[in-house]
Amino acid sequence: MTPYDNIAAAPQAALSGKPLVDGFGRTVTYLRLSVTDRCDLRCVYCMAEHMTFLPKAEVLTLEELDRIASAFVGLGTRKLRLTGGEPLVRKGMLDLVRSLGRHLRSGALDELTLTTNGTRLADFAGELADAGVRRINVSLDTLKPDLFRRLTRGGDLGKVLAGVAAAQAAGLSVKINAVALRDDNAAEIPDLIAWAHGEGCDLTLIETMPLGEIEADRTDQYLSLAAVRREVESFWTLEDLPLSTGGPARYVRVAETGGRLGFITPLSHNFCEACNRVRLTCTGTLHTCLGQEDATDLRAVLRDGADDAELARVIREAVLGKPKGHDFEIARAQPAVTRHMSTTGG
Ligand code: SAM
Ligand code: SF4
């Protein structure tokens, strides 16, 4: 008996409706769910060295996370990504994953996945696979132990590499995400690509985004992926792939390695026309656009005792107001949005 056994497979009131469509005709089928703002690392581009984390009462309980995620599934969401903070530091995380796994078994959900820093993956990989997780994203910006320790403010690269190996041994497909940092890993990017592809992993490069206040000056860290692509193309053959995930990534195949390489370029490219996703913070705030301040407080709706029909109605209304697009600008002195990636969920 788990705490979830009394939760219905999917809210019936929500199931009766039409898919979630916004005011610009985009159907929302993908929810990214931050399950905690806490993390065992302090990556320099993501967090301040001394973060103040949220009081526990502000963070959604596992039951509340399940209820909101399930409402989305009832409204046509086909993909759930659990993120954070670091999802694998949340107590009871495996219970939540197992519980949400019921939507995979019922056929209501196509994919249940995770973005993790990998430090605890060696402990959890087998059980994640048993719960129905098939693919995970592991964030890793360097293969140099000292640089890893500096970028993460104390992390142990060996644990992440062991985590990747354990995930693969458990049958999970692993994609590596690396943030491109001008002074730190720019020269190492070809080695990272070769390593990831050698391990049978896709690799996606991410430009730094102006989210949340941190100590470092992001203008210094920003590295244009257009420049990275030109550099990589000077010695490898890149074949464009048509694959579109409805997200900001564009993919190529590297002919020489046979692996896939993605570029997430929120600053130098506009990817909003095909956007199919929304995000829920660990405090239950729904953001329908990563780069805008629009927000709907679903925690208040739940804690006011709303039934499933009311929850579905509020979600529909929020999605209807999804902004047309975002407006990031690295040269700005202030972050485009004040919340950190670790609160919103990357
Ligand atoms: N802790 C997990 C991890 O690191 O994979 C999940 C949460 S983390 C916030 C999700 C992703 O966001 C990571 O790949 C991280 O590198 C990326 N990220 C964090 N801050 C960022 C920023 N300011 N710009 C671009 N990517 C960022
Ligand atoms: Fe933690 Fe992920 Fe942010 Fe790094 S990027 S500090 S691992 S939440």
Side-chain angles (χ1 to χ4, degrees):
M1 181 82 177
T2 74
Y4 304 98
D5 286 349
N6 57 353
I7 296 177
Q12 290 309 309
L15 277 173
S16 57
K18 300 182 287 291
L20 274 179
V21 181
D22 74 5
F24 299 92
R26 295 168 298 192
T27 304
V28 168
T29 55
Y30 180 8
L31 173 67
R32 296 168 81 110
L33 198 59
S34 175
V35 300
T36 178
D37 63 326
R38 285 160 202 268
C39 186
D40 53 343
L41 302 181
R42 296 285 183 280
C43 300
V44 291
Y45 47 77
C46 177
M47 291 197 182
E49 186 161 9
H50 303 288
M51 290 289 286
T52 310
F53 293 111
L54 294 162
K56 213 171 156 193
E58 289 192 22
V59 176
L60 294 180
T61 64
L62 295 174
E63 289 79 4
E64 288 170 330
L65 284 163
D66 188 298
R67 187 154 169 233
I68 294 178
S70 298
F72 272 92
V73 172
L75 290 165
T77 290
R78 306 295 308 179
K79 177 169 173 178
L80 285 178
R81 177 177 298 281
L82 305 177
T83 176
E86 173 47 41
L88 295 180
V89 305
R90 174 87 199 240
K91 228 171 135 193
M93 178 64 185
L94 274 176
D95 292 334
L96 178 66
V97 175
R98 282 192 207 102
S99 171
L100 292 174
R102 72 190 185 277
H103 299 307
L104 292 168
R105 293 190 295 279
S106 77
L109 193 64
D110 295 330
E111 186 169 16
L112 175 59
T113 184
L114 239 84
T115 300
T116 172
N117 64 27
T119 58
R120 302 194 174 186
L121 206 43
D123 297 333
F124 291 119
E127 284 162 290
L128 290 172
D130 290 345
V133 174
R134 293 291 165 261
R135 303 194 297 177
I136 51 166
N137 289 359
V138 177
S139 304
L140 180 58
D141 305 327
T142 177
L143 292 167
K144 298 176 182 166
D146 290 348
L147 180 57
F148 184 83
R149 200 172 304 115
R150 182 164 66 75
L151 285 178
T152 58
R153 298 194 183 97
D156 176 356
L157 175 67
K159 285 191 185 164
V160 180
L161 297 180
V164 170
Q168 291 184 313
L172 298 175
S173 149
V174 178
K175 180 161 82 69
I176 305 292
N177 284 342
V179 175
L181 300 162
R182 199 185 71 191
D183 298 327
D184 292 320
N185 67 1
E188 197 193 340
I189 286 174
D191 290 343
L192 266 173
I193 298 170
W195 171 79
H197 291 177
E199 297 291 319
C201 305
D202 293 343
L203 181 131
T204 300
L205 296 168
I206 310 174
E207 277 176 352
T208 51
M209 287 181 262
L211 297 175
E213 301 279 359
I214 54 169
E215 292 97 344
D217 179 351
R218 280 185 222 281
T219 321
D220 281 351
Q221 305 192 32
Y222 177 69
L223 171 64
S224 153
L225 290 186
V228 173
R229 184 176 170 145
R230 276 195 301 278
E231 163 73 11
V232 171
E233 260 174 336
S234 70
F235 48 86
W236 278 334
T237 316
L238 304 186
E239 298 156 357
D240 280 314
L241 293 172
L243 182 91
S244 171
T245 56
R250 297 288 169 266
Y251 288 94
V252 298
R253 186 167 302 284
V254 180
E256 288 79 1
T257 64
R260 277 198 313 186
L261 173 63
F263 298 92
I264 300 190
T265 54
L267 297 166
S268 51
H269 240 272
N270 214 320
F271 54 82
C272 303
E273 318 81 54
C275 183
N276 62 354
R277 61 199 59 193
V278 295
R279 293 174 164 80
L280 187 79
T281 68
C282 57
T283 56
T285 303
L286 181 65
H287 294 292
T288 58
C289 177
L290 179 63
Q292 301 272 4
E293 297 279 7
D294 80 289
T296 305
D297 185 357
L298 296 185
R299 185 185 65 193
V301 176
L302 287 194
R303 294 186 182 175
D304 283 350
D307 62 10
D308 291 341
E310 173 61 4
L311 178 59
R313 190 194 63 72
V314 176
I315 293 172
R316 271 193 196 288
E317 198 173 283
V319 167
L320 207 56
K322 181 170 160 71
K324 189 169 182 195
H326 65 56
D327 172 31
F328 287 138
E329 180 59 69
I330 198 77
R332 278 192 205 161
Q334 297 301 317
V337 285
T338 47
R339 55 186 191 264
H340 284 92
M341 186 71 124
S342 51
T343 315
T344 316

